[in-house]
Amino acid sequence: TTTTDVTLIGLGPMGQAMVHTFLRHGHSVTVWNRTANRADDVVAAGAVRADSPAAALAASELVVLSLTDYRAMYDILGSATDALAGRVVVNLSSDTPARTREASAWLAGHGAALIAGGVMVPAPLVGTENAYVFYSGPKEVFTTHEPVLRLLGRPDYLGEDPILAQLYYQAQLTIFLTSLSAYLQAAALMEAEGVPPREFLRYAVDNFDTISPFLAETVEELEKRSYPGHLSTATMMGATADHIVAASKEAGVDVALPEAIRSHYDRAIAAGHGNDNWTSLWEVVRARG
Ligand code: NDP
């Protein structure tokens, strides 16, 4: 087999963007994808097509995975474990921290190291100056391959524990996905009452812009688990949460998200936090078990 600088397995939009980025910087790339014709574009651009996962692993020490989840990694590499020894597997697929820890142990058992990662931009921004990528795993291994990985976006190395990158990734996506749904919810309420989403857009943008300064104040209260203040109490905010549910019902739009928010307030108030700041919802949200 010819050897290349990097192997990339998984050619969805993200994987394809990564291959194009590596090629653009003059690196040789071997690729493999379950649905073979998804490799056609990158092969036309200069990537080398491997005819099996084992051949893809044999081609490069650095192996980047861009798959739907970690299950896909076992489906692909499970039949090629003999080719894993000495490989550095950089898994940029989304999944849970526990599954990431398991994967680290599984790969180690086959003589390979796992660097877990999470790419924080969509495919069109891979390899641009706006891109950043969380990484965690063995520091020396990461440092060795950092110059190549850096091409995908600014690396943010979080530590040796493999779960860290996944944890930060899922935390960021928690904010991202809930915020996007919040926007859709608000736009649906407007539209149902005859206001086109476009009319509302600049107010929504203004609202998102004012939220970030809140966070620094909030974090202190979370650290202390103390929620002083009488300007935005759980009772007052809870009444608004109630109105949002009622307004959504009146408009005939979905109520799952408004009801989830109201439930945070109801439970904080039931636990005696009615006269505390709204940040007392932390006691509900952080609940274990
Ligand atoms: P896609 O779902 O389009 O691609 C997934 C890849 O995984 C394909 O190559 C697919 O193969 C492969 N795959 C899935 N299941 C299996 C399986 N059981 N066996 C073999 N191969 C499998 O994802 P994206 O490219 O959009 O994303 C890849 C990862 O990056 C995901 O974890 C995603 O969460 C993350 N991410 C995505 C972003 C985005 O904007 N799209 C942004 C940041 C991160 P096949 O072609 O044969 O189906």
Side-chain angles (χ1 to χ4, degrees):
T1 29
T2 40
T3 60
T4 48
D5 298 333
V6 53
T7 285
L8 212 137
I9 296 177
L11 298 169
M14 294 296 283
Q16 294 196 27
M18 292 177 202
V19 177
H20 285 298
T21 301
F22 289 136
L23 291 172
R24 201 165 59 239
H25 287 88
H27 285 293
S28 52
V29 186
T30 296
V31 296
W32 186 87
N33 194 64
R34 176 181 61 179
T35 307
N37 66 13
R38 251 183 149 176
D40 293 351
D41 278 359
V42 292
V43 168
V48 179
R49 191 194 303 264
D51 58 12
S52 67
L57 289 174
S60 325
E61 181 192 347
L62 177 62
V63 178
V64 176
L65 307 183
S66 179
L67 302 164
T68 305
D69 53 23
Y70 272 57
R71 181 76 256 153
M73 177 192 78
Y74 298 107
D75 287 350
I76 295 168
L77 302 184
S79 63
T81 49
D82 289 349
L84 277 170
R87 294 306 179 234
V88 172
V89 175
V90 178
N91 197 340
L92 301 179
S93 314
S94 169
D95 215 315
T96 70
R99 290 181 199 141
T100 305
R101 200 190 298 288
E102 266 168 36
S104 177
W106 183 78
L107 286 166
H110 293 291
L114 173 70
I115 300 289
V119 183
M120 295 314 303
V121 289
L125 295 184
V126 167
T128 68
E129 60 182 319
N130 294 320
Y132 75 101
V133 187
F134 290 126
Y135 291 103
S136 56
K139 172 109 201 219
E140 265 189 54
V141 176
F142 172 75
T143 306
T144 303
H145 296 282
E146 204 221 287
V148 176
L149 296 174
R150 175 171 287 282
L151 301 173
L152 301 177
R154 179 173 48 79
D156 201 328
Y157 175 79
L158 296 165
E160 300 259 346
D161 186 337
I163 75 164
L164 286 168
Q166 199 69 260
L167 194 60
Y168 277 66
Y169 178 84
Q170 298 304 348
Q172 283 294 59
L173 279 138
T174 299
I175 294 178
F176 190 55
L177 266 61
T178 52
S179 301
L180 294 179
S181 283
Y183 170 60
L184 296 185
Q185 184 74 40
L189 180 64
M190 297 299 265
E191 191 201 47
E193 302 294 2
V195 182
R198 193 167 290 280
E199 296 284 317
F200 171 62
L201 177 61
R202 73 184 174 91
Y203 298 99
V205 169
D206 179 64
N207 199 344
F208 272 100
D209 288 348
T210 59
I211 286 170
S212 35
F214 267 115
L215 305 183
E217 293 166 31
T218 302
V219 77
E220 281 181 39
E221 297 181 29
L222 309 192
E223 282 165 357
K224 294 185 186 140
R225 293 183 67 187
S226 143
Y227 319 103
H230 59 278
L231 297 176
S232 307
T233 63
T235 298
M236 182 282 283
M237 297 279 270
T240 304
D242 234 7
H243 301 153
I244 296 168
V245 171
S248 300
K249 282 184 178 161
E250 282 175 15
V253 301
D254 192 77
V255 290
L257 184 60
E259 282 180 344
I261 306 303
R262 181 174 65 180
S263 150
H264 287 164
Y265 285 95
D266 285 350
R267 286 178 285 149
I269 293 165
H273 293 293
N275 295 325
D276 291 337
N277 197 21
W278 70 273
T279 47
S280 58
L281 268 61
W282 181 232
E283 296 297 327
V284 173
V285 176
R286 70 186 291 283
R288 309 290 199 274

